[in-house]
Amino acid sequence: MVTTNLDTPSTFNLDTYLKERCVQVEAALEASLPVVYPEQIYEAMRYSLMAGGKRLRPILCLATCELLGAETSTAMPTACALEMVHTMSLIHDDLPAMDNDDYRRGQLTNHKVYGEDVAVLAGDALLTYAFEYIATQTKGAAAERILEVVARLGKAVGAAGLVGGQIVDLASEGTIVDEKTLTFIHMHKTAALLEVSVTSGALLAGATPSTVDQLSRYAQRIGLAFQIVDDILDITSTPEELGKSVGKDVAAQKATYPSLWGLEESKRRAEQLIAEAIAELSDFDERARPLIEIAQFITARTH
Amino acid sequence: MVTTNLDTPSTFNLDTYLKERCVQVEAALEASLPVVYPEQIYEAMRYSLMAGGKRLRPILCLATCELLGAETSTAMPTACALEMVHTMSLIHDDLPAMDNDDYRRGQLTNHKVYGEDVAVLAGDALLTYAFEYIATQTKGAAAERILEVVARLGKAVGAAGLVGGQIVDLASEGTIVDEKTLTFIHMHKTAALLEVSVTSGALLAGATPSTVDQLSRYAQRIGLAFQIVDDILDITSTPEELGKSVGKDVAAQKATYPSLWGLEESKRRAEQLIAEAIAELSDFDERARPLIEIAQFITARTH
């Protein structure tokens, strides 16, 4: 095992790192989807794809690829694809038949601008383009590795992943949800896509199966912690801090970790998960700094 | 060029061939999607996937693979994926925000049984599973070939394919559509998926680029002919013959080939396209019989 120097001072600045990566990802997304005939569908896809956000999934993919010593350019098409898939899930989630939201990130939701029919199709087109983009644009990795990324992304998004989590979430509305069900929902709705963000970066960098598994455990833990913190912020934040309405979960009588465990225990468990996530990175040297600080950022964030 | 013996009598029987292939495809689809927790999403996916139909896309894929001397088992996962994608497009098409249909193939549409929210998600899950299934299940082909199938399927389904055709179709409602636009709609809504059904079978069988192109032209022509015949049948058939309501296009003032060209000229052009499609197969021997007779079946069908 490599001796780590995680306790020594680092010149690494997470805020700068995230901003720089975000600019790179935005530029790659911008280039990924030119507007051609029929313009309306490309405009609808781009409206939501280019609507901002932390770009956490692409950044996790690039950071993992870099951690393992590979060029981030190898992972960039997959990083873009992860954001396309995430955007699809938001567009379809916001539909009247689902969460029926009029605003997201301070702008009108896709179906409020383009109509429900176009919003359904824009989601479908982003989802399918994600797979096409990985298959056609990835350079510098073996075809077998790229196929495994396609397979894992498919699993993470479909009935065994994100969609499965959404289905259990929908079925749980208005019922008393136990911890096992709540964890299933979040491991699938949130953690599955974060996990494949990390594992795809590892696969494209040529990681061994055991390293992929190790990084997968890191990602699962930050995914669950991310959701616990989201639940906590819904209770403890002001709308100004959060940039969106708060107290929605309580109002909707929605099961959350604080409702199961209380606030203090929820915070303790989120911190515990982050500690476990960081422990999975102990084999790596200073190059693991971005993934470590991203994990810490998840519990420290106030929005 | 190989001398063909297309004019000699054949023992090939299309009806038997399609029935046998349909049974094989149904069995493969049945095995492709077991029901596990959360059961509801798998049941919703299977409800539409196993709802019958001619299974024309999978059969074209298998027939093309076989034509080029490869095992049909190599193409079977892709054949299943083509049907998953086709089913997704039907589920989303039937939604209230789209065509708002209550029945398809004599049974309630997906959202009438499971609700709109689940129907959106069932479509998303089938679409993503299609790519996952190709990537994980295809045996006997090089990884590069499988990636090309993923790429071409993505293109055929997304904004540059099926979705793009749907968008132009939606935008054309209530307007006067010219021949160029009508052909764009059908080349993308219908022909693109038929084309990739054929080219994916060819790619998995190891076809050269020129053979893939040749078979692609065959498929584009039968795709367009298929749509022209659909338009003709909407005018000339009784509901009993067609198994669905007729005269819908005229009632909806929808542009069709007969409305642009008249009935006789539409029939002549469909036959012309089929003749051109069959001419693309002239390099092949008796093994091309299934693709030839499928092409002829398209103009001869009454439902």
Side-chain angles (χ1 to χ4, degrees):
Chain A
M1 200 183 286
V2 180
T3 309
T4 63
N5 56 351
L6 299 183
D7 297 326
T8 59
S10 164
T11 56
F12 179 82
N13 181 294
L14 182 67
D15 198 45
T16 308
Y17 179 85
L18 292 177
K19 277 190 187 133
E20 284 173 1
R21 281 284 188 255
C22 196
V23 168
Q24 288 179 323
V25 169
E26 296 273 339
L29 287 172
E30 176 65 41
S32 71
L33 196 61
V35 175
V36 294
Y37 180 82
E39 290 82 4
Q40 190 190 28
I41 186 67
Y42 293 97
E43 284 163 7
M45 293 162 79
R46 287 177 59 94
Y47 175 79
S48 295
L49 186 64
M50 303 310 296
K54 292 186 288 292
R55 311 300 191 187
L56 184 59
R57 291 155 193 82
I59 292 172
L60 280 170
C61 178
L62 298 175
T64 307
C65 185
E66 200 172 23
L67 166 67
L68 297 165
E71 293 289 334
T72 53
S73 59
T74 302
M76 190 57 96
T78 297
C80 290
L82 289 159
E83 195 68 14
M84 291 172 197
V85 165
H86 176 56
T87 303
M88 172 284 296
S89 77
L90 301 180
I91 295 173
H92 284 184
D93 247 10
D94 289 338
L95 287 170
M98 307 276 280
D99 286 353
N100 194 20
D101 279 317
D102 291 352
Y103 288 92
R104 175 170 296 273
R105 292 178 185 149
Q107 69 172 31
L108 286 168
T109 46
N110 200 287
H111 65 273
K112 295 301 283 185
V113 177
Y114 296 97
E116 275 184 67
D117 46 5
V118 174
V120 170
L121 292 172
D124 293 348
L126 280 168
L127 179 54
T128 187
Y129 193 51
F131 293 103
E132 180 187 350
Y133 203 67
I134 293 172
T136 60
Q137 301 300 315
T138 307
K139 312 283 177 240
E144 289 79 7
R145 293 272 163 166
I146 305 171
L147 267 186
E148 191 167 349
V149 169
V150 167
R152 284 185 182 239
L153 180 61
K155 190 174 178 194
V157 182
L162 201 156
V163 167
Q166 286 175 303
I167 282 286
V168 176
D169 196 19
L170 285 170
S172 303
E173 273 174 19
T175 68
I176 295 166
V177 171
D178 59 17
E179 185 179 327
K180 191 178 152 199
T181 306
L182 189 61
T183 300
F184 180 93
I185 292 169
H186 295 314
M187 287 305 289
H188 291 76
K189 256 187 86 166
T190 308
L193 197 54
L194 291 173
E195 184 189 352
V196 76
S197 301
V198 167
T199 53
S200 61
L203 284 164
L204 293 170
T208 62
S210 78
T211 299
V212 174
D213 287 349
Q214 202 175 353
L215 290 163
S216 165
R217 289 190 296 272
Y218 158 84
Q220 286 177 358
R221 278 159 185 74
I222 67 166
L224 196 52
F226 187 89
Q227 194 59 52
I228 297 173
V229 173
D230 248 21
D231 285 358
I232 294 169
L233 290 174
D234 187 66
I235 295 171
T236 60
S237 294
T238 63
E240 291 69 32
E241 284 173 326
L242 214 54
K244 61 180 182 183
S245 55
V246 297
K248 281 202 310 185
D249 297 342
V250 175
Q253 293 190 291
K254 207 166 167 175
T256 65
Y257 288 106
S259 74
L260 285 174
W261 300 331
L263 264 182
E264 283 314 306
E265 176 67 8
S266 297
K267 284 183 193 170
R268 200 195 63 74
R269 294 220 198 174
E271 280 160 16
Q272 169 74 21
L273 282 165
I274 294 301
E276 287 172 15
I278 292 172
E280 295 289 349
L281 304 174
S282 60
D283 287 358
F284 299 99
D285 59 15
E286 186 59 19
R287 282 174 305 166
R289 180 62 56 190
L291 291 187
I292 291 168
E293 295 211 10
I294 287 170
Q296 289 164 341
F297 164 74
I298 283 169
T299 42
R301 79 200 159 103
T302 54
H303 60 273
Chain B
M1 202 185 284
V2 179
T3 307
T4 63
N5 55 354
L6 299 182
D7 296 327
T8 58
S10 163
T11 56
F12 179 82
N13 181 295
L14 182 67
D15 197 46
T16 308
Y17 178 85
L18 292 176
K19 276 189 186 133
E20 283 174 2
R21 280 284 186 254
C22 195
V23 168
Q24 288 179 324
V25 170
E26 295 272 338
L29 287 172
E30 175 65 43
S32 72
L33 197 60
V35 176
V36 296
Y37 179 82
E39 289 83 3
Q40 190 190 27
I41 186 66
Y42 294 97
E43 284 162 8
M45 293 162 80
R46 287 176 59 93
Y47 175 80
S48 296
L49 186 64
M50 303 310 296
K54 293 186 287 292
R55 310 303 190 185
L56 183 59
R57 290 155 195 81
I59 292 172
L60 280 171
C61 179
L62 299 174
T64 307
C65 187
E66 201 173 21
L67 165 68
L68 298 165
E71 294 288 334
T72 53
S73 59
T74 301
M76 189 57 96
T78 297
C80 289
L82 289 159
E83 196 69 12
M84 290 172 199
V85 164
H86 177 55
T87 303
M88 173 285 294
S89 76
L90 300 181
I91 294 173
H92 283 185
D93 246 10
D94 289 338
L95 287 169
M98 306 274 282
D99 286 353
N100 194 22
D101 279 317
D102 291 352
Y103 288 92
R104 176 171 295 275
R105 291 175 187 152
Q107 69 173 30
L108 285 168
T109 46
N110 200 287
H111 65 272
K112 295 302 282 185
V113 177
Y114 295 96
E116 274 184 67
D117 46 4
V118 175
V120 170
L121 292 171
D124 293 347
L126 279 168
L127 180 53
T128 186
Y129 193 51
F131 293 103
E132 179 188 351
Y133 202 67
I134 293 171
T136 60
Q137 302 300 313
T138 307
K139 312 283 177 237
E144 288 78 6
R145 291 271 164 167
I146 305 171
L147 268 185
E148 191 168 348
V149 168
V150 166
R152 284 185 183 239
L153 180 61
K155 190 173 178 194
V157 181
L162 201 155
V163 166
Q166 286 175 302
I167 283 286
V168 177
D169 197 18
L170 286 170
S172 303
E173 272 174 18
T175 68
I176 295 166
V177 171
D178 59 18
E179 184 179 328
K180 192 179 153 199
T181 305
L182 189 62
T183 299
F184 181 93
I185 293 170
H186 295 313
M187 286 306 288
H188 291 77
K189 258 188 85 165
T190 308
L193 197 54
L194 292 173
E195 184 188 351
V196 76
S197 301
V198 167
T199 53
S200 62
L203 285 164
L204 293 170
T208 62
S210 77
T211 300
V212 173
D213 287 348
Q214 202 174 355
L215 290 163
S216 165
R217 290 191 296 271
Y218 158 84
Q220 286 177 357
R221 278 159 185 75
I222 67 167
L224 196 53
F226 187 90
Q227 194 59 54
I228 297 173
V229 172
D230 249 20
D231 285 358
I232 294 170
L233 291 174
D234 187 66
I235 295 171
T236 60
S237 295
T238 63
E240 292 70 31
E241 283 173 327
L242 214 54
K244 63 179 183 184
S245 55
V246 297
K248 283 202 306 186
D249 296 341
V250 175
Q253 295 188 291
K254 207 167 167 174
T256 66
Y257 288 106
S259 75
L260 287 174
W261 299 332
L263 264 181
E264 283 314 304
E265 177 65 9
S266 297
K267 284 182 190 170
R268 197 194 64 74
R269 295 220 197 174
E271 279 160 18
Q272 170 74 20
L273 283 165
I274 294 301
E276 287 171 15
I278 291 172
E280 294 290 347
L281 304 173
S282 60
D283 286 357
F284 299 98
D285 59 14
E286 185 60 19
R287 283 174 305 166
R289 180 62 57 188
L291 290 187
I292 291 167
E293 294 211 9
I294 287 170
Q296 289 164 341
F297 163 75
I298 282 169
T299 39
R301 78 201 160 101
T302 54
H303 60 276

